[in-house]
Amino acid sequence: MDVQKILSAVACVFVFAACSQKSAETVFPENGALDSSACRGQALENKFIVQWEDGSFTTETAANAEEFKENFIKPQLENIKHVDYDRVIQLQRSSEVSATAFTDSWGQQRIGAPTVWSQGVYGQGVKVAVVDAYVDVSHPQLLPRIAVNTDEIPNNGIDDDKNGIVDDYYGAAFVSQPGNNQTPSSHGSHVAGIIAADSRYGSIEGVAPQAQIIPAQFIANDGGGSLGDAVLAMQYSASRGAKIINASWGGAPCVASLRNAFVELEKKGILVVVAAGNDGRDVDVYPEFPASFNMANQITVAAASVSDFMTSWSNSGFSLVHVAAPGERILSTVPGGSTAYMEGTSMAAPFVSGAAALVWSAKPTATAVQVKEAILKSVDVSSGHEFKVNTRGRINVEKALQYIQQLVP
């Protein structure tokens, strides 16, 4: 170490407070790595994600970053932990397959769900948040499974429970950029049906048919959304008592706030199930977020085919993708009281969310890490059918139930 470096280090020791002092620049490092030229194109230059010192998040607007620093950050600097530009985020592209059927539960059967149901385990008592696109809460197979906010009076235009959201009786929407498409996306309803469709009222068998769904929309009908809206939707889901959050979407490599949000969910003991993505690439080499975070409370999911092989279009990774689950030709609920086939890792993730709800309902005292362990340690690995994921296998909820019963007294 040369003399100049030594003197600089000594100076910093003696004036530690000054060297480490919080400033608008340290909480909002917009010129740092997260704001490279690659990230700039995704930034919303007049919208900002604010994480407060208590761990909560808000989104704020200003004409530009300089105005935001002067008029918002500096006056409240003591209470602000981190600030990012809000950024564009995109729904995982899922193909809608042009095929019709009244009932098709190959995925539920493949993972052993009927055997778990026969033991009286249906996901009862577990809330699963669908942080996604629109969920049709009027669908006959979804309506009985919606986690109703009984502290709210529906459609009276008043925030009855004082949580900052008006009329969130059936869930809430955090769509700041609605776009021009008026046709509801099928994605959120399809995901919700895979998790918990009530088979008493139609042909779809949800993996956890007595779990409760919390709809938390942040994606517009055109498939676009913002990172800040996603963070708010996850925060809302946690406040409503979600044990599991299903995230069938991907973002950009500019994700400090999103990772911080995942850390807050981890502190709350919430399991987050994430779609690996549909680009046919190795996320260990080409990271996709949030799929590549690899948090202790996260399961990242690849897609298995009807023939129980890795699909050609599923993202993979021996390190960062944990398990495979059915993701090809999946029949589930869509808006308007109907059903449709779709495929993608967006469909594989809710199979894992539903499986986690079954496991958790059998052992309510289990932690998110224990539920994750039970699912990862109980996969089916068949010779010649190994998946390019960390466990090499596809989920088996029957075996996961046996595992959790041994793991948790």
Side-chain angles (χ1 to χ4, degrees), residues 38-361:
C39 296
R40 281 287 186 185
Q42 298 158 341
L44 301 173
E45 300 285 351
N46 64 347
K47 189 172 176 223
F48 309 90
I49 306 169
V50 179
Q51 184 180 18
W52 301 87
E53 287 289 356
D54 66 0
S56 64
F57 294 84
T58 60
T59 57
E60 310 292 342
T61 58
N64 53 57
E66 286 305 314
E67 179 183 299
F68 189 64
K69 280 184 183 178
E70 292 298 322
N71 298 336
F72 189 92
I73 296 177
K74 289 183 178 179
Q76 304 180 83
L77 184 60
E78 182 179 348
N79 298 318
I80 294 175
K81 184 175 182 178
H82 184 80
V83 176
D84 272 330
Y85 285 110
D86 197 1
R87 302 183 188 277
V88 173
I89 205 167
Q90 187 66 42
L91 200 68
Q92 293 287 1
R93 295 293 181 185
S94 303
S95 301
E96 188 159 341
V97 181
S98 57
T100 58
F102 177 72
T103 184
D104 187 346
S105 299
W106 78 263
Q108 290 82 341
Q109 294 166 9
R110 179 69 49 80
I111 69 171
T115 303
V116 175
W117 302 335
S118 71
Q119 299 175 53
V121 178
Y122 298 99
Q124 53 268 48
V126 179
K127 293 180 180 179
V128 184
V130 175
V131 177
D132 205 286
Y134 167 80
V135 173
D136 183 5
V137 299
S138 68
H139 193 292
Q141 289 199 257
L142 297 180
L143 177 58
R145 306 282 22 106
I146 302 300
V148 170
N149 181 3
T150 56
D151 293 328
E152 193 78 13
I153 299 170
N155 303 318
N156 68 349
I158 299 171
D159 179 14
D160 300 288
D161 59 1
K162 303 296 190 292
N163 69 348
I165 303 168
V166 175
D167 289 336
D168 61 319
Y169 185 74
Y170 290 117
F174 302 87
V175 182
S176 62
Q177 302 178 83
N180 299 318
N181 189 347
Q182 301 301 310
T183 303
S185 167
S186 298
H187 196 274
S189 300
H190 202 273
V191 166
I194 294 168
I195 297 169
D198 194 326
S199 59
R200 296 175 299 173
Y201 303 102
S203 62
I204 306 303
E205 295 181 303
V207 174
Q210 290 185 17
Q212 292 182 294
I213 295 294
I214 301 171
Q217 181 186 1
F218 81 97
I219 296 171
N221 292 330
D222 62 4
S226 87
L227 184 62
D229 293 344
V231 168
L232 294 181
M234 290 190 293
Q235 180 173 258
Y236 170 78
S237 302
S239 74
R240 287 286 315 279
K243 299 288 283 183
I244 302 160
I245 291 176
N246 190 92
S248 287
W249 39 269
C254 323
V255 288
S257 290
L258 183 58
R259 184 179 178 85
N260 292 349
F262 271 53
V263 169
E264 293 301 319
L265 297 174
E266 183 177 10
K267 291 176 183 177
K268 294 178 172 67
I270 296 170
L271 181 68
V272 187
V273 180
V274 181
N278 306 325
D279 302 313
R281 68 187 185 190
D282 185 335
V283 300
D284 293 350
V285 180
Y286 305 100
E288 167 84 13
F289 295 100
S292 298
F293 280 150
N294 203 26
M295 304 290 290
N297 63 321
Q298 175 181 343
I299 303 176
T300 298
V301 189
S305 68
V306 177
S307 55
D308 214 20
F309 287 93
M310 195 90 164
T311 64
S312 61
W313 39 259
S314 177
N315 284 355
S316 60
F318 285 127
S319 177
L320 300 177
V321 181
H322 302 105
V323 296
E328 180 183 59
R329 282 183 53 88
I330 304 301
L331 186 67
S332 186
T333 50
V334 293
S338 189
T339 62
Y341 280 102
M342 295 180 73
E343 57 185 31
T345 58
S346 286
M347 285 61 254
F351 272 93
V352 176
S353 293
L358 292 176
V359 170
W360 227 327
S361 68

